[in-house]
Amino acid sequence: MTSSSSLSSTASGPTVSSDPSDRRRWFALAIVMTAAFMDLVDVTIVNIAIPSIREDTGASFSSIQWITAGYSLAFAAGLITGGRLGDIYGRKRLFLIGIGGFTVASALCGFAANPEMLVASRILQGGTAALMVPQVLSIVHATFPAHERGKVFGLFGAIVGLGAVLGPLLGALLTEWNIAGLEWRPIFLINLPVGIAGLILGRKFITESKAPKALRLDLVGVALVTLGMLMLIYPLTRGHELGWPLWGHVSMVGSLLVFLVLVLFERGKARKDGSPLVELSLFRVKSFAAGIAVQLTFGIGLGIFFLVWTLYMQLGLGWSALRAGTTGIPFSIAVSFAAGISVQKLVPRFGRKVLQTGALLMIAGLLLYIWESDRYGMDITSLQMALPLVVMGIGMGLIVAPLTDAVLSEVPKEHSGSASGLINTVQQMGNALGLGLVSVVFLGAIGDRLAPQEVGPAFAEAFRHSLWWVAGVLAVIFLVMFALPARQRQHVEDGDEAVDAAGVEGSAGVVDAAGGSEGAKEPVLTS
Protein backbone atom coordinates (compact mmCIF):
# COMPACT_ATOMS: atom_id res chain seq x y z
CA MET A 1 0.00 0.00 0.00
CA THR A 2 1.32 3.42 -0.92
CA SER A 3 1.28 6.11 1.70
CA SER A 4 -0.57 8.55 -0.53
CA SER A 5 -3.46 6.23 -1.22
CA SER A 6 -6.66 6.73 0.68
CA LEU A 7 -7.63 3.11 0.19
CA SER A 8 -5.82 0.07 -1.02
CA SER A 9 -7.48 -3.15 -1.99
CA THR A 10 -5.08 -5.88 -1.01
CA ALA A 11 -5.32 -9.58 -0.60
CA SER A 12 -6.29 -9.15 2.99
CA GLY A 13 -8.88 -6.49 2.28
CA PRO A 14 -9.16 -2.72 2.14
CA THR A 15 -7.19 -0.52 4.46
CA VAL A 16 -8.22 3.02 5.27
CA SER A 17 -5.64 5.74 5.41
CA SER A 18 -6.09 8.25 8.20
CA ASP A 19 -3.21 10.44 7.02
CA PRO A 20 -4.60 13.99 7.15
CA SER A 21 -2.30 15.01 4.31
CA ASP A 22 -4.00 12.54 1.99
CA ARG A 23 -6.30 14.86 0.08
CA ARG A 24 -7.22 12.39 -2.63
CA ARG A 25 -10.12 11.07 -0.58
CA TRP A 26 -11.66 14.55 -0.36
CA PHE A 27 -11.52 14.94 -4.14
CA ALA A 28 -13.05 11.48 -4.39
CA LEU A 29 -15.78 12.56 -1.96
CA ALA A 30 -16.61 15.62 -4.04
CA ILE A 31 -16.90 13.45 -7.15
CA VAL A 32 -19.19 10.79 -5.67
CA MET A 33 -21.31 13.40 -3.87
CA THR A 34 -21.78 15.28 -7.12
CA ALA A 35 -22.93 12.07 -8.78
CA ALA A 36 -25.34 11.41 -5.90
CA PHE A 37 -26.69 14.95 -6.23
CA MET A 38 -27.12 14.49 -9.99
CA ASP A 39 -29.19 11.35 -9.39
CA LEU A 40 -31.32 12.93 -6.65
CA VAL A 41 -32.06 15.96 -8.81
CA ASP A 42 -32.92 13.79 -11.79
CA VAL A 43 -35.57 11.94 -9.80
CA THR A 44 -37.54 15.15 -9.17
CA ILE A 45 -36.57 17.42 -12.05
CA VAL A 46 -38.78 15.68 -14.60
CA ASN A 47 -42.10 16.31 -12.83
CA ILE A 48 -41.88 20.05 -13.34
CA ALA A 49 -41.28 19.66 -17.09
CA ILE A 50 -44.10 17.18 -17.78
CA PRO A 51 -46.47 19.78 -19.36
CA SER A 52 -43.70 20.92 -21.73
CA ILE A 53 -42.76 17.30 -22.61
CA ARG A 54 -46.36 16.39 -23.32
CA GLU A 55 -46.96 19.46 -25.50
CA ASP A 56 -43.73 19.04 -27.47
CA THR A 57 -43.79 15.29 -28.06
CA GLY A 58 -47.52 14.58 -28.03
CA ALA A 59 -46.96 11.94 -25.37
CA SER A 60 -50.03 10.17 -24.07
CA PHE A 61 -50.85 10.12 -20.38
CA SER A 62 -49.62 6.52 -20.22
CA SER A 63 -46.29 7.54 -21.76
CA ILE A 64 -45.96 10.37 -19.27
CA GLN A 65 -46.55 7.87 -16.48
CA TRP A 66 -43.74 5.68 -17.81
CA ILE A 67 -41.37 8.61 -18.26
CA THR A 68 -41.55 9.16 -14.50
CA ALA A 69 -42.15 5.58 -13.34
CA GLY A 70 -39.70 3.85 -15.67
CA TYR A 71 -36.74 5.49 -13.95
CA SER A 72 -37.95 4.52 -10.46
CA LEU A 73 -38.72 0.95 -11.45
CA ALA A 74 -35.32 0.33 -13.04
CA PHE A 75 -33.55 2.16 -10.23
CA ALA A 76 -35.25 0.29 -7.39
CA ALA A 77 -35.00 -3.11 -9.08
CA GLY A 78 -31.25 -2.81 -9.68
CA LEU A 79 -29.94 -1.19 -6.51
CA ILE A 80 -29.05 -4.28 -4.49
CA THR A 81 -27.50 -5.90 -7.55
CA GLY A 82 -25.46 -2.76 -8.21
CA GLY A 83 -24.15 -2.81 -4.66
CA ARG A 84 -23.13 -6.44 -4.86
CA LEU A 85 -21.44 -5.95 -8.25
CA GLY A 86 -19.35 -3.21 -6.65
CA ASP A 87 -18.34 -5.59 -3.86
CA ILE A 88 -17.27 -8.20 -6.43
CA TYR A 89 -15.71 -6.25 -9.28
CA GLY A 90 -14.65 -3.05 -7.52
CA ARG A 91 -16.63 -0.03 -6.39
CA LYS A 92 -14.60 2.43 -8.42
CA ARG A 93 -15.07 0.35 -11.58
CA LEU A 94 -18.84 0.07 -11.11
CA PHE A 95 -19.13 3.76 -10.20
CA LEU A 96 -17.37 4.75 -13.42
CA ILE A 97 -19.49 2.35 -15.50
CA GLY A 98 -22.60 3.73 -13.81
CA ILE A 99 -21.80 7.41 -14.24
CA GLY A 100 -20.72 6.81 -17.84
CA GLY A 101 -23.94 4.96 -18.61
CA PHE A 102 -26.00 7.59 -16.80
CA THR A 103 -24.40 10.31 -18.93
CA VAL A 104 -25.11 8.44 -22.17
CA ALA A 105 -28.70 7.76 -21.10
CA SER A 106 -29.15 11.45 -20.22
CA ALA A 107 -28.00 12.38 -23.73
CA LEU A 108 -30.48 9.91 -25.22
CA CYS A 109 -33.24 11.44 -23.09
CA GLY A 110 -32.29 14.95 -24.16
CA PHE A 111 -32.27 14.06 -27.86
CA ALA A 112 -35.26 11.70 -27.78
CA ALA A 113 -37.19 11.92 -31.03
CA ASN A 114 -40.45 10.53 -29.67
CA PRO A 115 -42.11 9.45 -26.40
CA GLU A 116 -41.12 5.81 -26.88
CA MET A 117 -37.44 6.69 -27.12
CA LEU A 118 -37.74 8.92 -24.07
CA VAL A 119 -39.36 6.13 -22.02
CA ALA A 120 -36.66 3.63 -23.04
CA SER A 121 -33.91 6.15 -22.26
CA ARG A 122 -35.39 6.87 -18.83
CA ILE A 123 -35.42 3.15 -18.03
CA LEU A 124 -31.77 2.94 -19.10
CA GLN A 125 -31.02 6.00 -16.97
CA GLY A 126 -32.57 4.36 -13.91
CA GLY A 127 -30.67 1.13 -14.52
CA THR A 128 -27.31 2.88 -14.80
CA ALA A 129 -28.09 4.96 -11.72
CA ALA A 130 -28.57 1.66 -9.88
CA LEU A 131 -24.96 0.82 -10.73
CA MET A 132 -23.66 4.24 -9.67
CA VAL A 133 -25.56 5.20 -6.52
CA PRO A 134 -24.79 2.18 -4.25
CA GLN A 135 -21.07 2.78 -4.76
CA VAL A 136 -21.30 6.29 -3.28
CA LEU A 137 -21.81 5.25 0.34
CA SER A 138 -19.61 2.19 -0.17
CA ILE A 139 -16.69 4.33 -1.37
CA VAL A 140 -17.20 6.74 1.53
CA HIS A 141 -17.40 3.89 4.04
CA ALA A 142 -14.28 2.22 2.64
CA THR A 143 -12.23 5.38 2.06
CA PHE A 144 -12.64 7.44 5.22
CA PRO A 145 -11.40 6.51 8.69
CA ALA A 146 -14.07 6.26 11.34
CA HIS A 147 -13.39 9.57 13.05
CA GLU A 148 -14.05 11.44 9.78
CA ARG A 149 -17.24 9.69 8.74
CA GLY A 150 -19.51 11.81 10.94
CA LYS A 151 -18.50 14.89 9.00
CA VAL A 152 -18.85 13.06 5.70
CA PHE A 153 -22.32 11.72 6.45
CA GLY A 154 -23.34 15.20 7.54
CA LEU A 155 -22.38 16.41 4.08
CA PHE A 156 -24.26 13.52 2.53
CA GLY A 157 -27.40 14.47 4.45
CA ALA A 158 -27.10 18.04 3.20
CA ILE A 159 -26.77 16.76 -0.37
CA VAL A 160 -29.91 14.66 0.07
CA GLY A 161 -31.87 17.69 1.24
CA LEU A 162 -30.61 19.91 -1.55
CA GLY A 163 -31.26 17.31 -4.23
CA ALA A 164 -34.82 16.64 -3.08
CA VAL A 165 -35.87 20.29 -3.20
CA LEU A 166 -33.64 21.89 -5.84
CA GLY A 167 -34.70 19.37 -8.51
CA PRO A 168 -38.09 21.02 -9.12
CA LEU A 169 -36.54 24.50 -8.93
CA LEU A 170 -33.81 23.65 -11.43
CA GLY A 171 -36.35 21.95 -13.70
CA ALA A 172 -38.59 25.02 -13.61
CA LEU A 173 -35.73 27.37 -14.47
CA LEU A 174 -34.35 25.26 -17.31
CA THR A 175 -37.81 24.76 -18.81
CA GLU A 176 -38.87 28.43 -18.57
CA TRP A 177 -35.56 29.71 -19.94
CA ASN A 178 -36.07 27.55 -23.07
CA ILE A 179 -32.33 27.50 -23.73
CA ALA A 180 -31.56 27.53 -27.49
CA GLY A 181 -35.20 26.72 -28.12
CA LEU A 182 -34.73 23.25 -26.62
CA GLU A 183 -37.67 23.65 -24.19
CA TRP A 184 -37.59 20.69 -21.75
CA ARG A 185 -34.49 18.97 -23.12
CA PRO A 186 -31.88 20.86 -21.01
CA ILE A 187 -33.19 19.13 -17.86
CA PHE A 188 -31.42 16.03 -19.19
CA LEU A 189 -28.60 17.60 -21.18
CA ILE A 190 -27.32 19.42 -18.07
CA ASN A 191 -26.09 16.01 -16.86
CA LEU A 192 -23.61 15.72 -19.75
CA PRO A 193 -20.83 18.07 -18.58
CA VAL A 194 -21.28 16.93 -14.97
CA GLY A 195 -21.12 13.26 -15.93
CA ILE A 196 -18.11 13.67 -18.21
CA ALA A 197 -16.21 15.59 -15.52
CA GLY A 198 -17.12 12.93 -12.94
CA LEU A 199 -15.91 10.17 -15.24
CA ILE A 200 -12.54 11.85 -15.91
CA LEU A 201 -11.88 12.97 -12.33
CA GLY A 202 -13.20 9.73 -10.86
CA ARG A 203 -10.62 7.70 -12.75
CA LYS A 204 -7.89 9.88 -11.30
CA PHE A 205 -8.92 10.39 -7.68
CA ILE A 206 -11.11 7.46 -6.60
CA THR A 207 -9.07 4.50 -5.36
CA GLU A 208 -10.37 1.01 -6.02
CA SER A 209 -11.84 -1.16 -3.28
CA LYS A 210 -13.74 -4.42 -3.24
CA ALA A 211 -14.76 -7.14 -0.83
CA PRO A 212 -11.67 -8.92 0.58
CA LYS A 213 -13.29 -12.33 0.10
CA ALA A 214 -13.97 -13.70 -3.38
CA LEU A 215 -17.70 -13.33 -4.03
CA ARG A 216 -19.89 -14.47 -6.88
CA LEU A 217 -22.96 -12.81 -8.34
CA ASP A 218 -26.14 -14.46 -7.12
CA LEU A 219 -28.16 -14.58 -10.35
CA VAL A 220 -31.17 -16.28 -8.75
CA GLY A 221 -31.17 -13.62 -6.03
CA VAL A 222 -30.99 -10.91 -8.71
CA ALA A 223 -34.00 -12.43 -10.48
CA LEU A 224 -36.05 -12.72 -7.27
CA VAL A 225 -35.25 -9.18 -6.12
CA THR A 226 -36.10 -7.74 -9.53
CA LEU A 227 -39.32 -9.74 -9.80
CA GLY A 228 -40.43 -8.83 -6.28
CA MET A 229 -39.71 -5.14 -6.77
CA LEU A 230 -41.55 -5.03 -10.12
CA MET A 231 -44.55 -6.89 -8.71
CA LEU A 232 -44.77 -4.37 -5.86
CA ILE A 233 -43.88 -1.07 -7.52
CA TYR A 234 -45.51 -1.46 -10.94
CA PRO A 235 -49.08 -1.81 -9.60
CA LEU A 236 -48.47 1.05 -7.16
CA THR A 237 -47.26 3.26 -9.99
CA ARG A 238 -50.05 2.42 -12.44
CA GLY A 239 -52.84 1.54 -10.02
CA HIS A 240 -54.71 4.85 -9.94
CA GLU A 241 -54.49 5.35 -13.71
CA LEU A 242 -55.90 1.86 -14.35
CA GLY A 243 -58.58 2.03 -11.65
CA TRP A 244 -56.82 -0.33 -9.22
CA PRO A 245 -57.55 -3.59 -11.09
CA LEU A 246 -57.65 -6.94 -9.34
CA TRP A 247 -54.42 -8.11 -10.93
CA GLY A 248 -52.62 -5.19 -9.26
CA HIS A 249 -53.70 -6.32 -5.79
CA VAL A 250 -52.79 -9.92 -6.62
CA SER A 251 -49.38 -8.77 -7.84
CA MET A 252 -48.66 -6.78 -4.67
CA VAL A 253 -49.66 -9.69 -2.43
CA GLY A 254 -47.64 -12.03 -4.62
CA SER A 255 -44.57 -9.82 -4.19
CA LEU A 256 -44.59 -10.69 -0.48
CA LEU A 257 -44.39 -14.38 -1.38
CA VAL A 258 -41.50 -13.66 -3.77
CA PHE A 259 -39.63 -11.81 -1.00
CA LEU A 260 -40.24 -14.77 1.34
CA VAL A 261 -38.77 -17.13 -1.25
CA LEU A 262 -35.84 -14.70 -1.57
CA VAL A 263 -35.16 -14.84 2.17
CA LEU A 264 -35.23 -18.64 2.21
CA PHE A 265 -33.02 -18.90 -0.86
CA GLU A 266 -30.50 -16.34 0.46
CA ARG A 267 -30.19 -18.25 3.73
CA GLY A 268 -29.34 -21.39 1.81
CA LYS A 269 -26.98 -19.48 -0.47
CA ALA A 270 -25.09 -18.04 2.50
CA ARG A 271 -24.60 -21.53 3.96
CA LYS A 272 -23.59 -22.99 0.60
CA ASP A 273 -20.94 -20.60 -0.69
CA GLY A 274 -21.08 -17.39 1.37
CA SER A 275 -22.03 -15.21 -1.62
CA PRO A 276 -25.70 -14.26 -1.20
CA LEU A 277 -27.01 -11.15 -2.93
CA VAL A 278 -28.66 -9.91 0.28
CA GLU A 279 -26.57 -10.34 3.41
CA LEU A 280 -29.33 -11.35 5.82
CA SER A 281 -26.73 -11.56 8.58
CA LEU A 282 -26.58 -7.74 8.47
CA PHE A 283 -29.97 -7.70 10.18
CA ARG A 284 -28.34 -9.23 13.26
CA VAL A 285 -26.71 -5.83 13.72
CA LYS A 286 -29.23 -3.96 15.82
CA SER A 287 -28.38 -0.52 14.44
CA PHE A 288 -28.72 -1.75 10.85
CA ALA A 289 -32.04 -3.54 11.35
CA ALA A 290 -33.62 -0.65 13.27
CA GLY A 291 -32.26 1.93 10.84
CA ILE A 292 -33.67 0.04 7.84
CA ALA A 293 -37.11 -0.01 9.49
CA VAL A 294 -36.96 3.74 10.08
CA GLN A 295 -35.70 4.30 6.52
CA LEU A 296 -38.65 2.43 5.03
CA THR A 297 -41.22 4.30 7.11
CA PHE A 298 -39.51 7.63 6.48
CA GLY A 299 -39.56 6.97 2.73
CA ILE A 300 -43.32 6.40 2.86
CA GLY A 301 -43.87 9.77 4.56
CA LEU A 302 -41.65 11.64 2.11
CA GLY A 303 -43.23 9.89 -0.88
CA ILE A 304 -46.66 11.13 0.18
CA PHE A 305 -45.62 14.66 1.13
CA PHE A 306 -43.54 15.75 -1.85
CA LEU A 307 -46.02 14.64 -4.52
CA VAL A 308 -49.04 16.00 -2.66
CA TRP A 309 -47.23 19.26 -1.98
CA THR A 310 -46.46 19.72 -5.70
CA LEU A 311 -50.05 18.94 -6.73
CA TYR A 312 -51.40 21.33 -4.10
CA MET A 313 -49.30 24.29 -5.24
CA GLN A 314 -49.51 23.81 -9.01
CA LEU A 315 -52.95 22.32 -9.57
CA GLY A 316 -54.74 23.47 -6.43
CA LEU A 317 -53.41 27.00 -5.98
CA GLY A 318 -52.64 27.45 -9.67
CA TRP A 319 -49.04 28.53 -9.12
CA SER A 320 -46.43 28.40 -11.87
CA ALA A 321 -43.67 25.80 -11.78
CA LEU A 322 -41.15 28.51 -10.95
CA ARG A 323 -43.15 29.86 -8.03
CA ALA A 324 -43.69 26.36 -6.66
CA GLY A 325 -39.97 25.66 -6.99
CA THR A 326 -38.84 28.84 -5.24
CA THR A 327 -41.30 28.21 -2.40
CA GLY A 328 -39.20 25.20 -1.42
CA ILE A 329 -35.96 27.17 -0.97
CA PRO A 330 -36.44 27.78 2.82
CA PHE A 331 -37.03 24.05 3.24
CA SER A 332 -33.85 23.23 1.33
CA ILE A 333 -31.74 25.63 3.37
CA ALA A 334 -33.16 24.31 6.64
CA VAL A 335 -32.47 20.68 5.70
CA SER A 336 -28.90 21.47 4.70
CA PHE A 337 -28.19 23.45 7.86
CA ALA A 338 -29.66 20.88 10.24
CA ALA A 339 -28.01 17.95 8.45
CA GLY A 340 -24.63 19.66 8.73
CA ILE A 341 -24.77 20.11 12.50
CA SER A 342 -26.70 17.00 13.50
CA VAL A 343 -23.94 14.40 13.06
CA GLN A 344 -21.02 16.63 14.00
CA LYS A 345 -22.46 18.51 16.98
CA LEU A 346 -25.70 17.00 18.24
CA VAL A 347 -25.57 13.22 17.81
CA PRO A 348 -22.27 12.79 19.72
CA ARG A 349 -23.92 14.46 22.70
CA PHE A 350 -27.57 13.42 22.55
CA GLY A 351 -27.61 10.19 20.51
CA ARG A 352 -30.91 9.01 19.08
CA LYS A 353 -32.80 11.84 20.79
CA VAL A 354 -31.62 14.00 17.88
CA LEU A 355 -33.46 11.79 15.38
CA GLN A 356 -36.56 11.66 17.55
CA THR A 357 -36.51 15.43 17.94
CA GLY A 358 -36.36 15.63 14.15
CA ALA A 359 -39.49 13.51 13.84
CA LEU A 360 -41.33 15.68 16.37
CA LEU A 361 -40.26 18.86 14.57
CA MET A 362 -41.53 17.50 11.27
CA ILE A 363 -44.86 16.70 12.91
CA ALA A 364 -45.00 20.24 14.35
CA GLY A 365 -44.25 21.71 10.91
CA LEU A 366 -47.00 19.62 9.33
CA LEU A 367 -49.56 20.71 11.94
CA LEU A 368 -48.58 24.34 11.40
CA TYR A 369 -48.94 23.87 7.64
CA ILE A 370 -52.40 22.36 8.10
CA TRP A 371 -53.45 25.31 10.26
CA GLU A 372 -52.11 27.92 7.82
CA SER A 373 -53.67 26.23 4.79
CA ASP A 374 -57.03 26.15 6.54
CA ARG A 375 -56.80 29.76 7.76
CA TYR A 376 -55.57 31.43 4.57
CA GLY A 377 -57.22 29.10 2.07
CA MET A 378 -56.59 29.93 -1.58
CA ASP A 379 -54.92 33.22 -0.64
CA ILE A 380 -51.98 31.61 1.14
CA THR A 381 -48.60 32.96 0.03
CA SER A 382 -45.11 31.51 -0.31
CA LEU A 383 -43.96 33.69 2.59
CA GLN A 384 -46.65 32.27 4.85
CA MET A 385 -45.55 28.77 3.93
CA ALA A 386 -41.94 29.53 4.90
CA LEU A 387 -42.32 28.95 8.65
CA PRO A 388 -43.82 25.43 8.52
CA LEU A 389 -41.36 24.50 5.77
CA VAL A 390 -38.39 25.69 7.85
CA VAL A 391 -39.60 23.73 10.88
CA MET A 392 -40.09 20.63 8.74
CA GLY A 393 -36.73 21.13 7.04
CA ILE A 394 -34.86 21.33 10.33
CA GLY A 395 -36.61 18.16 11.45
CA MET A 396 -35.76 16.33 8.25
CA GLY A 397 -32.14 17.46 8.44
CA LEU A 398 -31.85 16.10 11.97
CA ILE A 399 -32.95 12.70 10.67
CA VAL A 400 -31.35 12.10 7.27
CA ALA A 401 -27.65 12.42 8.11
CA PRO A 402 -27.60 10.61 11.51
CA LEU A 403 -29.84 7.88 10.12
CA THR A 404 -27.37 7.03 7.36
CA ASP A 405 -24.54 6.98 9.88
CA ALA A 406 -26.53 4.79 12.29
CA VAL A 407 -27.38 2.26 9.58
CA LEU A 408 -23.84 1.89 8.19
CA SER A 409 -21.66 2.60 11.22
CA GLU A 410 -21.39 -1.03 12.33
CA VAL A 411 -21.46 -2.67 8.88
CA PRO A 412 -18.26 -4.53 7.92
CA LYS A 413 -16.57 -3.11 4.84
CA GLU A 414 -16.82 -6.39 2.92
CA HIS A 415 -20.62 -5.98 2.93
CA SER A 416 -20.80 -2.19 2.59
CA GLY A 417 -21.95 -2.46 -1.02
CA SER A 418 -24.78 -4.83 -0.13
CA ALA A 419 -25.74 -2.66 2.85
CA SER A 420 -25.67 0.50 0.74
CA GLY A 421 -27.84 -1.14 -1.89
CA LEU A 422 -30.32 -2.22 0.78
CA ILE A 423 -30.51 1.29 2.22
CA ASN A 424 -31.26 2.85 -1.15
CA THR A 425 -33.65 0.07 -2.14
CA VAL A 426 -35.62 0.39 1.09
CA GLN A 427 -35.83 4.16 0.60
CA GLN A 428 -37.15 3.63 -2.94
CA MET A 429 -39.64 1.03 -1.72
CA GLY A 430 -40.84 3.48 0.91
CA ASN A 431 -41.21 6.24 -1.66
CA ALA A 432 -43.10 3.91 -3.99
CA LEU A 433 -45.45 2.89 -1.20
CA GLY A 434 -45.97 6.54 -0.33
CA LEU A 435 -46.70 7.42 -3.96
CA GLY A 436 -49.17 4.57 -4.12
CA LEU A 437 -50.90 5.83 -0.98
CA VAL A 438 -51.31 9.28 -2.57
CA SER A 439 -54.20 7.88 -4.59
CA VAL A 440 -55.88 6.93 -1.32
CA VAL A 441 -55.05 9.83 1.00
CA PHE A 442 -55.10 12.66 -1.59
CA LEU A 443 -56.90 11.73 -4.79
CA GLY A 444 -59.43 9.70 -2.84
CA ALA A 445 -60.40 12.86 -0.93
CA ILE A 446 -61.19 14.75 -4.15
CA GLY A 447 -64.54 14.31 -5.87
CA ASP A 448 -64.64 12.86 -9.36
CA ARG A 449 -66.69 15.65 -10.86
CA LEU A 450 -65.85 19.16 -9.75
CA ALA A 451 -66.90 22.49 -11.14
CA PRO A 452 -63.93 24.73 -12.07
CA GLN A 453 -64.44 26.91 -9.01
CA GLU A 454 -64.44 23.84 -6.76
CA VAL A 455 -61.08 22.44 -7.90
CA GLY A 456 -58.82 24.73 -5.84
CA PRO A 457 -60.66 24.35 -2.50
CA ALA A 458 -60.98 20.58 -3.05
CA PHE A 459 -57.23 20.25 -3.63
CA ALA A 460 -56.51 22.36 -0.55
CA GLU A 461 -58.77 20.19 1.59
CA ALA A 462 -57.20 17.02 0.20
CA PHE A 463 -53.76 18.48 0.94
CA ARG A 464 -54.63 19.02 4.58
CA HIS A 465 -56.13 15.54 4.76
CA SER A 466 -52.91 14.07 3.37
CA LEU A 467 -50.73 15.96 5.85
CA TRP A 468 -52.59 14.32 8.72
CA TRP A 469 -51.56 10.96 7.24
CA VAL A 470 -47.94 12.08 6.94
CA ALA A 471 -48.01 13.26 10.56
CA GLY A 472 -49.29 9.83 11.56
CA VAL A 473 -46.46 8.13 9.66
CA LEU A 474 -43.92 10.34 11.45
CA ALA A 475 -45.47 9.45 14.80
CA VAL A 476 -44.82 5.79 13.92
CA ILE A 477 -41.23 6.72 12.98
CA PHE A 478 -40.78 8.39 16.38
CA LEU A 479 -41.79 5.15 18.09
CA VAL A 480 -39.67 2.91 15.84
CA MET A 481 -36.66 5.08 16.65
CA PHE A 482 -36.72 3.73 20.19
CA ALA A 483 -35.23 0.57 18.63
CA LEU A 484 -32.19 2.55 17.51
CA PRO A 485 -29.14 2.53 19.79
CA ALA A 486 -29.64 5.14 22.50
CA ARG A 487 -26.14 6.29 23.37
CA GLN A 488 -22.73 6.64 21.82
CA ARG A 489 -19.60 4.73 22.48
CA GLN A 490 -16.24 4.54 20.86
CA HIS A 491 -15.67 1.52 18.69
CA VAL A 492 -12.48 0.19 17.24
CA GLU A 493 -11.80 1.14 13.66
CA ASP A 494 -11.00 -1.64 11.22
CA GLY A 495 -7.62 -3.04 10.54
CA ASP A 496 -6.63 -5.03 7.52
CA GLU A 497 -9.43 -7.58 7.56
CA ALA A 498 -13.11 -6.95 8.03
CA VAL A 499 -15.03 -9.23 10.35
CA ASP A 500 -17.88 -11.20 8.87
CA ALA A 501 -21.30 -9.70 9.45
CA ALA A 502 -22.40 -12.70 11.46
CA GLY A 503 -19.78 -11.87 14.05
CA VAL A 504 -20.82 -8.27 14.56
CA GLU A 505 -22.25 -7.48 17.95
CA GLY A 506 -24.70 -4.60 17.85
CA SER A 507 -24.92 -4.25 21.62
CA ALA A 508 -21.26 -3.49 22.16
CA GLY A 509 -18.43 -1.74 20.42
CA VAL A 510 -17.77 -3.22 17.02
CA VAL A 511 -14.34 -4.41 16.06
CA ASP A 512 -14.22 -4.30 12.29
CA ALA A 513 -10.82 -5.94 12.25
CA ALA A 514 -10.45 -9.63 12.83
CA GLY A 515 -7.98 -9.34 15.61
CA GLY A 516 -6.54 -6.29 13.91
CA SER A 517 -4.84 -3.38 15.57
CA GLU A 518 -6.78 -0.53 17.09
CA GLY A 519 -7.08 2.43 14.79
CA ALA A 520 -8.96 5.70 14.74
CA LYS A 521 -12.06 5.73 16.87
CA GLU A 522 -15.49 7.00 15.88
CA PRO A 523 -18.41 7.93 18.12
CA VAL A 524 -21.29 5.80 16.92
CA LEU A 525 -24.75 5.01 18.18
CA THR A 526 -24.69 1.81 20.21
CA SER A 527 -26.98 0.58 22.88
Side-chain angles (χ1 to χ4, degrees):
M1 184 181 75
T2 62
S3 60
S4 62
S5 171
S6 62
L7 178 71
S8 173
S9 183
T10 65
S12 61
T15 302
V16 173
S17 168
S18 59
D19 181 3
S21 65
D22 182 5
R23 297 181 180 178
R24 288 172 56 88
R25 65 185 186 278
W26 294 104
F27 286 110
L29 176 66
I31 294 164
V32 297
M33 288 297 186
T34 300
F37 180 79
M38 184 168 63
D39 164 68
L40 288 164
V41 167
D42 212 76
V43 172
T44 57
I45 198 172
V46 176
N47 293 335
I48 285 291
I50 281 177
S52 177
I53 293 173
R54 191 173 186 184
E55 181 180 352
D56 182 52
T57 65
S60 66
F61 184 75
S62 177
S63 295
I64 291 296
Q65 285 287 103
W66 270 106
I67 288 169
T68 55
Y71 183 98
S72 297
L73 285 168
F75 187 46
L79 277 169
I80 297 179
T81 304
R84 176 53 76 201
L85 287 172
D87 288 340
I88 297 173
Y89 298 108
R91 290 137 192 168
K92 173 183 176 178
R93 177 182 297 179
L94 264 292
F95 176 81
L96 294 177
I97 293 173
I99 196 171
F102 190 87
T103 304
V104 171
S106 297
L108 292 174
C109 288
F111 293 114
N114 52 57
E116 292 74 21
M117 181 177 175
L118 182 54
V119 169
S121 301
R122 283 287 285 171
I123 293 173
L124 176 62
Q125 200 180 33
T128 53
L131 298 179
M132 174 180 69
V133 172
Q135 318 312 326
V136 173
L137 292 181
S138 297
I139 289 170
V140 169
H141 192 67
T143 302
F144 283 83
H147 68 278
E148 290 181 337
R149 288 190 205 131
K151 182 190 300 182
V152 171
F153 283 125
L155 291 172
F156 182 77
I159 290 294
V160 169
L162 284 171
V165 178
L166 291 186
L169 175 59
L170 186 59
L173 289 172
L174 292 174
T175 302
E176 292 204 5
W177 286 341
N178 191 21
I179 301 171
L182 293 174
E183 298 180 340
W184 53 272
R185 298 178 187 275
I187 68 172
F188 298 112
L189 298 179
I190 194 175
N191 290 334
L192 270 60
V194 178
I196 292 171
L199 191 61
I200 295 172
L201 296 175
R203 290 187 64 183
K204 180 177 181 181
F205 290 108
I206 299 175
T207 310
E208 187 61 279
S209 67
K210 60 177 67 174
K213 295 191 302 181
L215 299 173
R216 287 179 291 178
L217 183 60
D218 176 8
L219 294 177
V220 175
V222 170
L224 289 173
V225 167
T226 303
L227 178 62
M229 293 297 297
L230 289 174
M231 289 176 65
L232 177 64
I233 295 178
Y234 181 79
L236 283 171
T237 304
R238 300 291 308 281
H240 179 71
E241 177 193 0
L242 300 177
W244 296 106
L246 177 62
W247 65 261
H249 295 85
V250 172
S251 178
M252 286 186 282
V253 173
S255 70
L256 300 179
L257 298 178
V258 173
F259 287 131
L260 177 60
V261 173
L262 172 67
V263 170
L264 297 176
F265 178 81
E266 293 300 287
R267 284 181 177 175
K269 180 75 172 174
R271 289 193 297 266
K272 182 179 179 181
D273 59 19
S275 296
L277 179 66
V278 180
E279 285 291 343
L280 298 178
S281 56
L282 289 172
F283 290 92
R284 300 175 190 173
V285 183
K286 182 180 177 182
S287 60
F288 182 83
I292 284 292
V294 174
Q295 191 88 318
L296 176 66
T297 317
F298 194 51
I300 292 173
L302 296 183
I304 295 174
F305 174 75
F306 282 113
L307 179 56
V308 167
W309 185 35
T310 301
L311 295 175
Y312 166 62
M313 289 188 292
Q314 295 194 51
L315 300 182
L317 299 178
W319 291 1
S320 68
L322 185 58
R323 182 176 179 183
T326 54
T327 299
I329 291 176
F331 180 87
S332 176
I333 294 173
V335 171
S336 300
F337 170 77
I341 66 171
S342 58
V343 172
Q344 298 180 54
K345 304 293 185 182
L346 300 178
V347 169
R349 184 173 180 182
F350 301 106
R352 77 168 175 226
K353 292 179 181 178
V354 175
L355 287 84
Q356 291 180 303
T357 300
L360 294 177
L361 281 174
M362 290 192 72
I363 292 173
L366 288 167
L367 296 179
L368 182 57
Y369 214 156
I370 292 170
W371 177 80
E372 285 195 353
S373 175
D374 184 52
R375 178 179 179 182
Y376 299 111
M378 300 301 294
D379 296 324
I380 192 170
T381 66
S382 298
L383 183 60
Q384 290 164 340
M385 291 185 182
L387 180 58
L389 288 175
V390 167
V391 175
M392 285 186 62
I394 293 173
M396 181 175 171
L398 293 179
I399 295 174
V400 288
L403 182 56
T404 302
D405 197 11
V407 175
L408 281 181
S409 60
E410 299 177 353
V411 172
K413 281 194 180 66
E414 67 205 70
H415 299 308
S416 60
S418 179
S420 177
L422 278 170
I423 291 171
N424 285 284
T425 299
V426 165
Q427 178 72 45
Q428 289 298 312
M429 287 180 64
N431 282 330
L433 290 170
L435 290 169
L437 287 171
V438 166
S439 63
V440 177
V441 304
F442 183 77
L443 299 178
I446 300 174
D448 293 331
R449 297 179 181 179
L450 297 173
Q453 67 273 15
E454 296 175 329
V455 172
F459 269 65
E461 178 61 32
F463 173 68
R464 292 189 289 271
H465 181 263
S466 300
L467 293 197
W468 281 110
W469 278 81
V470 179
V473 170
L474 285 164
V476 172
I477 290 173
F478 174 81
L479 296 176
V480 174
M481 283 177 177
F482 279 106
L484 291 175
R487 294 178 301 277
Q488 313 158 52
R489 288 183 184 175
Q490 303 286 335
H491 77 78
V492 180
E493 171 63 13
D494 35 88
D496 288 336
E497 295 186 14
V499 69
D500 185 76
V504 174
E505 295 182 9
S507 61
V510 177
V511 181
D512 286 337
S517 60
E518 180 175 336
K521 296 178 183 290
E522 170 194 27
V524 297
L525 298 171
T526 60
S527 56

